[in-house]
Amino acid sequence: MCLLHVCHLQNLHLCRTPTTYFLQKDKITSFDAFKPERYLQKQYKNLIISRSKERLVCLLMTDNFSECSLSVIVENKPTLCSPLTLSAFKNGISVPLFKVLHPNNGLRSYTQSDETVRLAMNYDIPFDKTIQNVVTLLQAHTSACVDTEQEKKLVFLTRLLELLSQKRLSMNDYCFALQSYPKHNYEQLRDFLVLPCKSKLQFITSSIDKDQVLRETFDKVQTLQQKNVFLLVNEVQIRLNAEECSPSSDLCKEGPVG
């Protein structure tokens, strides 16, 4: 082998050595070998780190340490491609990390952990997730509520928040709409509440067999409530018919369920 060829091979070896060294140092082999604490404490202020045998928890606190703005959890749970798993939560809401981590939030390098923290810090929480987080908290409080009146109000508010993020009206929502329609200015209610449009209510009341519904309802409610049910259904039907016959009626202009 000529001297020139030997020198060329040596130069290639020298060029590859730094990259190989970095990859070896960057690679995470096990949970016990994963030691990011010193680096994180240098990079971020107001940091609280807790470590157990199976989990590492990093909490990024606000300046006065009154709230946790970001939590990063690394667990000793191997996946198919990675020795560890990592999860991040910003203001209590899970941050999607599929752009940085391997499948199932798999973590196998220090570079990934650093990029994950940066991604989570800059994550803009979607409106729907914020609403869902509030709904979850309200539902937990409602289940522990002992005041019946307060519980009714919390259930009502929780349902309104749910409809803000996903407008999927349930049977109870339609019943509430039918009950509210004859008693209030319905269009004003729709300015503040998520309710079906008037044409949808008209379709419901015109397509059902009112007599059959009343018979089935009477079988399920007490005698004292039967009069209220009968008056309610008739009041809705009369008002809808009156608006349909009115020259200024805009029922035909109504769109689908709002």
Side-chain angles (χ1 to χ4, degrees):
M1 183 180 297
C2 67
L3 182 60
L4 182 62
H5 192 197
V6 173
C7 292
H8 178 66
L9 291 177
Q10 289 177 346
N11 290 334
L12 287 176
H13 176 70
L14 291 175
C15 292
R16 291 173 182 173
T17 299
T19 303
T20 304
Y21 178 79
F22 171 78
L23 292 176
Q24 290 177 348
K25 286 291 184 179
D26 189 50
K27 184 178 180 181
I28 298 174
T29 56
S30 66
F31 182 75
D32 293 335
F34 180 59
K35 307 288 185 180
E37 291 91 335
R38 183 178 299 180
Y39 171 78
L40 290 173
Q41 288 172 345
K42 289 182 179 179
Q43 288 290 113
Y44 306 101
K45 298 179 180 180
N46 304 333
L47 183 66
I48 299 176
I49 300 178
S50 174
R51 188 185 186 103
S52 64
K53 293 183 179 180
E54 300 294 330
R55 176 180 293 184
L56 174 70
V57 180
C58 300
L59 304 178
L60 276 72
M61 310 297 293
T62 55
D63 292 338
N64 57 1
F65 280 83
S66 61
E67 295 180 0
C68 175
S69 59
L70 180 68
S71 58
V72 179
I73 303 173
V74 180
E75 296 182 278
N76 188 17
K77 292 182 179 180
T79 64
L80 187 62
C81 305
S82 310
L84 308 176
T85 56
L86 186 150
S87 302
F89 300 88
K90 187 171 184 179
N91 296 332
I93 296 177
S94 178
V95 179
L97 303 171
F98 60 89
K99 292 183 178 180
V100 178
L101 299 178
H102 293 284
N104 300 317
N105 282 11
L107 174 68
R108 63 181 183 187
S109 72
Y110 285 92
T111 301
Q112 283 181 319
S113 64
D114 187 32
E115 291 179 355
T116 296
V117 176
R118 296 178 187 275
L119 175 66
M121 291 182 66
N122 297 321
Y123 177 65
D124 293 328
I125 302 174
F127 174 77
D128 289 352
K129 286 196 174 184
T130 301
I131 292 296
Q132 186 57 48
N133 195 38
V134 175
V135 168
T136 302
L137 293 174
L138 283 175
Q139 288 175 340
H141 185 74
T142 302
S143 61
C145 186
V146 295
D147 188 337
T148 305
E149 291 300 320
Q150 185 181 32
E151 182 181 1
K152 291 180 180 179
K153 295 176 182 178
L154 286 175
V155 170
F156 179 73
L157 291 174
T158 302
R159 183 55 187 162
L160 288 182
L161 290 173
E162 287 179 325
L163 291 174
L164 280 178
S165 58
Q166 50 177 7
K167 295 183 180 180
R168 298 176 181 175
L169 299 174
S170 66
M171 182 61 67
N172 289 335
D173 297 325
Y174 281 108
C175 290
F176 173 78
L178 288 170
Q179 186 176 4
S180 303
Y181 185 78
K183 298 181 180 179
H184 308 281
N185 189 325
Y186 192 72
E187 285 306 310
Q188 288 185 359
L189 280 179
R190 292 191 70 213
D191 290 338
F192 301 97
L193 306 178
V194 181
L195 296 171
C197 61
K198 290 189 292 185
S199 59
K200 186 67 176 180
L201 296 182
Q202 183 191 33
F203 173 78
I204 292 174
T205 55
S206 62
S207 61
I208 61 175
D209 186 343
K210 187 173 64 175
D211 294 336
Q212 181 180 355
V213 171
L214 287 174
R215 285 195 300 269
E216 293 178 356
T217 304
F218 287 168
D219 292 339
K220 296 179 181 180
V221 301
Q222 299 176 0
T223 305
L224 294 177
Q225 295 176 317
Q226 292 179 2
K227 182 179 180 180
N228 294 331
V229 173
F230 180 79
L231 291 176
L232 172 62
V233 174
N234 276 280
E235 192 174 0
V236 172
Q237 187 67 48
I238 291 171
R239 179 165 178 175
L240 285 170
N241 291 338
E243 291 193 1
E244 186 181 15
C245 297
S246 174
S248 60
S249 175
D250 60 348
L251 284 176
C252 296
K253 299 178 182 179
E254 291 284 348
V257 176

